[in-house]
Amino acid sequence: MSQQVPPSRVLSHLGVMAVLAVVLGVVVAGIAIPFAGIAGISARQVAKAVDDLPATFDTGTLPQTTRIVDANGNLITTLYDQNRVYRPLDQISRNMTQAIVSIEDYRFYQHGAIDLKGTLRAFVTNQANSGTVQGGSSITQQLVKQTLLTQAEESGNKNAMKAATADTYARKLKELRYAIALEQAHSKDWILERYLNTAYFGDGAYGVQAAARHYFNVNSNQLTVKQSALLAGLVKNPTGYDPTNFPDAAVARRNVVLDREAQLHVITSDQADALKQKKLGLHVQSSQNGCVNATAPFFCDYVINYLERDPDLGKTVDARKKLLTSGGLTIHTTLESPNQRAADSSLAKHVYPTDNAVGGIAEVEPGTGNVLALAQSRPMGNAAKKGQTYINYTIPQELGGSAGFQAGSTFKLFVLASAIEDHIPTSTKFNSQSPMTFNQADYKNCAGAPQWGGPWVVHNETGTGIFDMYKATQLSINTYFTQLERLTGICQPFALAKQMGVDLTDPDGDPQTRAGAERTPSFTLGIPSVSPLEMAGAYATFAARGEHCDPRPVTEIDDAAGTPIKTYAKSCKQVIPDWVADQVNDITQGVQQPANARNEGHAGFGYELGHTNLQTSTGAVIPSAGKTGTTQSDRSVWFDGYTPQISTVAMIAGANEQGTPISLDNVAVGGYVHSEVSGSGFAGPMWADAMHPIQSSLDPVPFHPINVAAETGVSASIPSVGGLSYKAAEQALEAAGFHVARGSAVASTYAAGTVVYGTPSGTAPTGSVIMLYTSTGHAPAPPKQHKKANHKKGR
């Protein structure tokens, strides 16, 4: 005897039938709706609810994976909210399309938006069994459901996400209406293509291409019958059938798909039986998402920060972030992977992640600004005990979060270039003792800016004596450059550094800014907040003969179809005359190559930096130049070296776990403890180890020869200033185009403090330094008289 069905179950079932009737009415547009009033369901109300839904359905753009590639197209990393790479149907294996249709909707190409037979059977079965036993949704319906969920997740609207998964008739009616709209607007092939690119296949893989690459390391057009059966089985329960976590369940589900394909004569029973005996055959590929696992993590970080500041990519930062993580872009960068690997290797050798120091290397191409490599010793991550950090120490503060490090004597080149541009001869000599006390009031500030005052004591670390520009640069003589800076003033070298890309802020009107202590007489000895990238860009300006190019990490962005949507042209400007840069390069070649033609007899640091010399594979010397930097208390050391083709900066800075600057003296760095450090002996070898692996890619291109005529300027008569006050003499000489320096006081009958004479005298190239000697006010002592010997004639 059959069991009686409770009235409530009958009413529930009839309610479902009423809904189906509504759907039928929508499909055939106008058929009367039966079952009105059954179980309290108003067919009129339901029909009105359906009619109120839009007649079209905008599927929008699917979130796709963005690829960041190096200068040669090699993958650096990917960015995504959903790991998806869209593929048209003709690039998806027929094995895959047959498997998915067989298991999810075998009558897909025969029915409309709704498989009424399958839907009715599923609803009746599920109602009779008090649960979901059979799925009756067509592929089109599933596509609608997945699309609505994706759109809700993209919007970030929690209510929309809840509504997209709510188990209500309202949601199901909405999905049915949209399915009809899709079928009316698109072909079956379009719907199947979209479905295969939308579906979630588990373990972070969205769409069939991402799934094929993730599970089997093949493209979607290469999927075999066995592989396709596994993927097709995943869409029903991507988590429960995930082969990386539940291989037995995945095998069982794959075999169900194979049996279904055999039942539908897509494959033979023998094929199915043979394939069911096979293992899963996984070749799982880890998915890179973001910069942490990128081949160049901090270069990747720089690229993202750089692009998030580009208004062409969206009106807001959030809009730009969304484009980067879901736009399916290809971001073409300037990174040279061999350079990056060499820089990473050098840092790993010289500075360990957990050291109380930070090592950084930045490389820039002169003439383009292309950023070729960025590397640092502390890896990316949040495990502080392992030395990991998310602070990018290689780039400016506003992009990377680091407050920067003092650059030391590397800033002397800005004063050197300013002096040369002022036609101060490179032969200019100063008696550079240590220590020396200077009056800060002698250093001219920018027009209208307050003047400094008070004494300033400067020490040398590398010797004392009388030096010219060549030897003073090679030995990095502090008191020479403080005297040279007294002639140029501060405003000109400060402005030049800014033009060369160093992030400086004028302190006028805002003494509270970090730049408030930057434009001071101590500028030539280095400011406290500079990054390796800034200095690499600045020194690339000298290599490019005075043309500064803004650092550029990206050259082009393509959309998902491969069409360029934005190109990044180089941005360059001549900031110093080419002959000035040529002269600077000639001087700084002596730092590494002391036997320079203009540098005979100048020892320099060459003996100490012999390891930094570069050679081609044939042994030809690659001309290079550079400058060392060691800061006060040895808190950071630098070596900024360059050739006409590449500017590379290596920096090591003392920093505790929190990044607070500390001295490098007696600190273990790279497995060694140094009682004292220097740019030449500490940063120089790290620079060399980053450059030697790539030196074969460099051509032995010489620096441009110097222009002696441009350097010396036009000769002019030197005004006679004897008897004038020092101020009057200074004004007369400066009006004639000369610089003035104070010599010692000499005995003279001139009034005390007035000028006795200047050297040189007569004529000299404009820009020359005239040394003025003032009177003590006392006449020189008369020369001693010597008695003549009385020589008697011999007999």
Side-chain angles (χ1 to χ4, degrees), residues 264-324:
L264 295 172
H265 305 294
V266 175
I267 60 176
T268 67
S269 297
D270 289 342
Q271 281 181 292
D273 290 340
L275 292 173
K276 285 160 62 177
Q277 305 305 311
K278 302 287 187 181
K279 294 181 179 180
L280 289 174
L282 300 180
H283 188 191
V284 177
Q285 303 298 304
S286 298
S287 299
Q288 290 179 302
N289 186 15
C291 296
V292 172
N293 296 315
T295 56
F298 288 99
F299 179 86
C300 168
D301 175 74
Y302 173 46
V303 167
I304 292 174
N305 283 300
Y306 179 86
L307 295 178
E308 285 179 356
R309 297 164 69 90
D310 184 356
D312 288 345
L313 302 182
K315 292 183 179 180
T316 65
V317 173
D318 285 343
R320 297 163 205 158
K321 288 181 178 178
K322 179 59 67 177
L323 176 64
L324 293 177

Side-chain angles (χ1 to χ4, degrees), residues 65-69 73-79 85 324 328-332:
T65 299
T66 288
R67 302 171 67 247
I68 302 179
V69 299
N74 301 306
L75 184 67
I76 297 173
T77 194
T78 53
L79 310 174
V85 179
L324 293 177
L329 309 176
T330 299
I331 300 171
H332 298 272

Side-chain angles (χ1 to χ4, degrees), residues 347-370:
L347 279 163
K349 175 181 176 181
H350 290 276
V351 188
Y352 296 160
T354 55
D355 286 345
N356 280 328
V358 173
I361 293 175
E363 296 180 7
V364 172
E365 182 178 56
T368 66
N370 288 349

Side-chain angles (χ1 to χ4, degrees), residues 23 70 168 186 208 325 350 408 475 489 512 521 551 617 631 663 724 763 791:
V23 176
D70 71 6
T168 64
H186 301 287
V208 67
T325 57
H350 290 276
L475 292 176
Q512 301 304 315
S617 56
T631 65
S663 175
L724 298 179
T763 62
H791 296 285

Side-chain angles (χ1 to χ4, degrees), residues 786-792:
H786 295 282
K787 294 182 178 180
K788 293 183 180 180
N790 186 12
H791 296 285
K792 295 182 179 179

